[in-house]
Amino acid sequence: AAVTRRLCILKGIYPHEPKHKKKVNKGSTAARTFYLLKDIKFLLHEPIVNKFREYKVFVRKLRKAYGKSEWSTVDRLKNNKPTYKLDHIVKERYPTFIDALRDLDDALSMCFLFSTFPRTGKCHVQTIQLCRRLAMEFLNYIIASRSLRKVFLSIKGIYYQAEVLGQPVTWITPYAFAHDHPTDVDYRVMATFTEFYTTLLGFVNFRLYHSLNLLYPPKIDGQADVELKPAEGKEYAMDSESYLEKLSALSASLARVVAPTHEDEVEMDEFPVEGETAEQMDARKKEQEALEKHKKLFEGLRFFLNREVPREPLAFIIRCFGGQVSWDKSLCIGATYDVSNPSITHQIVDRPRVEQQVVGRYYLQPQWVFDSVNAKLCLPVADYFPGVLLPPHLSPFVTEQEGDYVPPEKLKLLAMQRGENPGDGRLRDEESEEEDEEEEDDNDKEEEEEEEEDESEKEEEMKLKKMEEQKTQSNKALPVKVTAGKLRLEDRQRLEQEQQSEEKRLAIMMMKKREKYLYKKIMFGKKRKVREANKLAAKRKAHDTAVKEEKKKSKKARRA
C-alpha cells in the first residue's frame, strides 16, 4: 500500500471521491481512499515500479545480512544499492516549461519548509541540504531578474509573489523559529512529495538561470567575491558549507556565462497588436513604465539591518528592488559595509528607541520595506519611526470589488498612488478633532447653566398647562375650518423609477422556476455582501470612536 501511495504521488494521480460512496464501498461507511481504475492501470506501465521491487529485495537482503553479522555482504549490498531517477516523470507530467512554472507554487512552498527543518531523525539531512540549496538558487534568480511583485506577512509565514516569464508564482516561507514537529503529520508522505519537487525545481532553476545568461550551478561574481573576505568565510563556516552560506547571504551578484557589455539604452520598436486600439496600447505602455519604475524602487538607497530584524527576507526584498544592503559582519557572512558607513540612507531597527543616531539617516521599522513594495512607492517615513504605533499591514492579494468594504488606510494608499497628498486630509481631521474637543468643553459649561434655567421654565410650563385646561373646558363647540386645496406637482423621475420597479417585478413573475431560483440566489449573495460591508464599516466606526474617547481621556488626565 505504501509503494502504491508513493507511486501515485510521484505520477500525480489523486484520489477520487465517488458520487455514491456507500454503494461503491459495498454498503460500508468506513473511511476509504478511492482511485479511478484507469489511473491504476496507467501505473502498471511505469518502469519505476521495477526499481521499487528491486529496492524491496535489497532491504530484505540487507536486514538478513545484518541479522547474520555478515559485514562483507552488508558492504557489498550498500555499494550496489538500487537507484532511480524521476527525470522522465517530470518530462511526462510537464510537457512544456510553462506548465512546470504554473505548478511551481507547491514545489517552492514545500522546499522552503523542508529547508528550515532541524537535522533530526524525521527526515534525511541530505534532503534538507538539497532543499536549502535549491531554495537559495531560486531566490538569487528572483533577485537577478527583479521578478518580485508582492509580499505579505501573515501568521503562517511570509507570502511572496513573483512574475516568472509572465507566469505569477506564489509561495510561502516559514518564519525562522525553532520547529516542534507535530505527531499527527506523516513525514513519509511529505518526503515523497519533496523528492519529486526537488527534481522539478532543479530542472526549473537550470532553465531559468540559462534564460538570464547566468552560470548554473550559480557562482558568485568575481568582483563581489573579493569583497567577501576569505578570512571571514573561514571563521563563519566550514569550507564545505561556506559556498552555500555566501550564496544564501543574498548580498553578492552572480557570475554570467558571457560577460555583459555596457551599451547605451536603445528604445525598442513597438508594433501594434492585432485588434488592439490606441487607448489599449497607451494603457499597456503606461503599465510597462509603472512596472519598470517598481523594479527600481530602492535603487540608489543603501540599507543597514540591525541584529534584531529578520535578515534573510529583508535582504532578499531590498536586493529585488535594486537597493544595496548590509549587516553586522558577526551576524552573517556577506556584509559589504559597516554601520559607520556615511553613505547609509536607511537603517532598519526593531527596538523602541535608538540611543546613538546618525544625522541624515532614516531609522525605520521593518514593516516600511514590506509596505513600500506593496504600495509600489516609498511611503512617508514618519509612520514607521522606532517606537511609533505602526499602520495596519494590508494584504496586496485582496482586490476590492464594487460594493465591498474598503478600509480608510487603503483609500489613503490609493490616493497616494494617484499622486494626491492625503497629508492635508489628516491635518484637517486633527483640526476638526481639536474643534470637537473645544466644542464639547463649551457644551459642558453651557449644560450646567441650562440646568438652572430648566427648573424655572418647568414651573412656568405647569402654570400654562393649567390655564389651557381651563380654556378647553369652557370651549365646548370646536370650530370647523375649510382650507383651499394645493396644486400637486408630479415628480417625473419618481414615476419613472416606479414604472421600472413595476416592470422588474413583472419580469421576475414571468421567469421560469429554475431562472427565478438562480436570480434569488444571486440577489441573496449581493445582499449578504452589502450586509457584511456595512457590518465592517460599523465596526471600524466603533473602533475609531473608542480610540478618540481614549485620546480625550488621556488629554484630560494630563491637563488635570
Side-chain angles (χ1 to χ4, degrees):
V3 174
T4 311
R5 183 183 63 194
R6 196 173 172 198
L7 202 59
C8 286
I9 289 166
L10 294 174
K11 292 284 282 181
I13 290 167
Y14 297 100
H16 183 75
E17 193 69 22
K19 280 183 182 177
H20 307 287
K21 205 170 184 180
K22 201 172 178 183
K23 190 179 177 184
V24 174
N25 214 3
K26 295 174 183 175
S28 172
T29 52
R32 282 183 75 183
T33 310
F34 298 97
Y35 291 92
L36 291 171
L37 193 65
K38 60 172 185 174
D39 290 339
I40 302 300
K41 282 181 178 177
F42 171 66
L43 289 177
L44 296 171
H45 305 289
E46 180 51 53
I48 212 166
V49 174
N50 298 323
K51 290 286 181 184
F52 284 161
R53 285 173 186 153
E54 283 174 27
Y55 191 79
K56 209 173 179 180
V57 172
F58 158 76
V59 170
R60 199 188 303 141
K61 282 180 180 177
L62 194 67
R63 201 181 289 127
K64 202 173 182 181
Y66 268 116
K68 289 182 178 180
S69 302
E70 294 174 354
W71 307 118
S72 59
T73 313
V74 167
D75 292 339
R76 181 174 54 79
L77 285 167
K78 279 185 176 177
N79 291 333
N80 296 318
K81 182 182 173 180
T83 56
Y84 59 90
K85 285 186 175 182
L86 303 176
D87 303 4
H88 65 285
I89 296 177
V90 171
K91 206 170 181 183
E92 183 186 291
R93 281 179 68 174
Y94 307 109
T96 64
F97 185 54
I98 296 298
D99 292 331
L101 287 177
R102 282 176 188 154
D103 208 27
L104 204 61
D105 298 9
D106 291 337
L108 282 170
S109 297
M110 190 69 90
C111 282
F112 274 99
L113 173 66
F114 264 71
S115 68
T116 59
F117 278 177
R119 297 181 181 188
T120 55
K122 287 285 180 185
C123 56
H124 295 295
V125 175
Q126 290 88 348
T127 309
I128 295 167
Q129 287 174 336
L130 178 62
C131 287
R132 176 74 180 158
R133 182 176 66 80
L134 291 168
M136 285 305 114
E137 284 173 1
F138 185 77
L139 290 187
N140 274 289
Y141 164 78
I142 297 295
I143 290 169
S145 62
R146 296 200 184 177
S147 317
L148 193 66
R149 297 288 174 269
K150 294 174 185 176
V151 197
F152 180 59
L153 305 169
S154 76
I155 297 291
K156 293 178 183 177
I158 305 172
Y159 284 91
Y160 295 104
Q161 190 177 80
E163 197 179 319
V164 181
L165 303 182
Q167 297 299 320
V169 178
T170 312
W171 74 96
I172 181 171
T173 63
Y175 294 114
F177 296 135
H179 274 277
D180 182 24
H181 286 293
T183 51
D184 58 341
V185 173
D186 193 345
Y187 281 89
R188 288 173 301 172
V189 173
M190 285 174 73
T192 309
F193 273 106
T194 309
E195 187 184 3
F196 175 74
Y197 288 150
T198 48
T199 313
L200 168 66
L201 196 55
F203 277 120
V204 169
N205 282 353
F206 176 80
R207 281 287 300 272
L208 290 175
Y209 269 68
H210 280 280
S211 70
L212 280 186
N213 184 31
L214 294 169
L215 285 169
Y216 191 83
K219 286 182 181 176
I220 291 159
D221 200 10
Q223 292 173 343
D225 206 12
V226 174
E227 287 176 26
L228 303 176
K229 296 162 193 173
E232 186 190 336
K234 282 174 187 174
E235 284 171 22
Y236 186 78
M238 296 186 294
D239 291 338
S240 58
E241 293 180 354
S242 64
Y243 160 71
L244 183 59
E245 289 297 334
K246 281 177 187 175
L247 195 68
S248 61
L250 304 170
S251 64
S253 51
L254 302 175
R256 297 183 180 271
V257 179
V258 181
T261 54
H262 295 285
E263 292 178 1
D264 296 330
E265 284 188 14
V266 182
E267 278 193 22
M268 301 291 284
D269 291 334
E270 286 191 9
F271 299 101
V273 180
E274 201 174 326
E276 192 178 46
T277 60
E279 286 176 8
Q280 287 173 329
M281 219 174 144
D282 288 340
R284 190 160 53 84
K285 197 176 180 181
K286 279 178 185 174
E287 201 177 306
Q288 193 64 35
E289 282 170 6
L291 183 63
E292 289 301 317
K293 194 181 174 184
H294 188 211
K295 284 180 183 178
K296 296 173 183 178
L297 185 66
F298 298 141
E299 210 159 77
L301 304 180
R302 284 167 80 87
F303 292 81
F304 187 86
L305 309 178
N306 263 28
R307 297 180 67 85
E308 69 273 8
V309 302
R311 189 201 63 81
E312 197 172 283
L314 284 168
F316 168 60
I317 292 162
I318 291 163
R319 285 290 317 286
C320 276
F321 293 93
Q324 286 179 288
V325 65
S326 187
W327 45 86
D328 195 273
K329 63 180 179 183
S330 62
L331 178 67
C332 179
I333 200 170
T336 48
Y337 46 86
D338 202 16
V339 67
S340 58
N341 195 308
S343 62
I344 293 169
T345 56
H346 297 72
Q347 189 166 333
I348 309 298
V349 296
D350 200 5
R351 52 184 72 181
R353 65 175 185 272
V354 182
E355 297 299 330
Q356 294 178 336
Q357 293 194 9
V358 179
V359 179
R361 185 185 296 185
Y362 290 120
Y363 290 85
L364 302 169
Q365 295 187 55
Q367 195 182 309
W368 180 82
V369 176
F370 300 102
D371 286 353
S372 294
V373 166
N374 294 335
K376 298 180 183 178
L377 54 94
C378 288
L379 292 170
V381 291
D383 297 334
Y384 299 90
F385 286 147
V388 174
L389 184 69
L390 289 166
H393 179 55
L394 301 168
S395 171
F397 296 97
V398 176
T399 49
E400 283 86 1
Q401 303 294 324
E402 196 180 341
D404 286 357
Y405 167 72
V406 184
E409 288 82 12
K410 188 71 180 275
L411 293 169
K412 182 183 163 186
L413 194 68
L414 291 167
M416 285 172 77
Q417 284 173 347
R418 288 194 299 271
E420 295 168 16
N421 187 14
D424 302 339
R426 195 200 295 169
L427 285 168
R428 280 188 212 122
D429 292 341
E430 284 173 8
E431 282 170 12
S432 63
E433 275 177 30
E434 284 173 11
E435 282 170 14
D436 291 343
E437 282 174 20
E438 285 171 12
E439 278 174 18
E440 278 182 14
D441 291 341
D442 295 339
N443 290 342
D444 291 341
K445 289 174 186 174
E446 283 170 12
E447 277 171 13
E448 288 172 7
E449 291 169 7
E450 280 171 8
E451 278 175 10
E452 292 172 3
E453 289 172 8
D454 286 346
E455 286 175 6
S456 60
E457 279 177 11
K458 279 178 184 176
E459 288 174 8
E460 286 175 10
E461 279 176 14
M462 290 290 284
K463 286 177 184 177
L464 285 166
K465 276 183 182 177
K466 281 180 183 177
M467 286 169 75
E468 281 174 8
E469 280 173 12
Q470 287 170 2
K471 280 182 182 179
T472 49
Q473 283 172 3
S474 62
N475 297 337
K476 288 177 181 178
L478 291 168
V480 179
K481 288 181 182 179
V482 178
T483 53
K486 287 181 182 178
L487 187 69
R488 188 182 168 188
L489 294 166
E490 284 188 351
D491 189 355
R492 285 186 181 180
Q493 200 174 354
R494 191 173 60 80
L495 285 169
E496 278 177 16
Q497 282 178 354
E498 281 177 7
Q499 193 178 343
Q500 282 174 2
S501 62
E502 186 63 25
E503 283 172 6
K504 193 179 180 182
R505 193 178 66 80
L506 290 168
I508 293 163
M509 282 172 69
M510 294 297 287
M511 275 182 184
K512 289 177 187 174
K513 202 174 182 181
R514 187 182 284 180
E515 287 172 356
K516 198 181 278 185
Y517 174 74
L518 279 169
Y519 175 76
K520 280 180 180 176
K521 288 274 276 184
I522 291 161
M523 293 312 291
F524 176 76
K526 281 183 178 178
K527 282 174 185 174
R528 185 173 59 189
K529 213 174 183 182
V530 169
R531 274 201 307 273
E532 283 172 3
N534 292 339
K535 203 175 179 182
L536 286 167
K539 269 187 180 179
R540 181 60 196 246
K541 197 177 179 182
H543 172 264
D544 288 345
T545 50
V547 169
K548 276 182 186 177
E549 287 297 322
E550 277 180 26
K551 279 182 182 177
K552 283 173 192 173
K553 279 178 186 176
S554 63
K555 274 187 180 179
K556 280 179 183 178
R558 277 181 216 153
R559 283 172 190 170

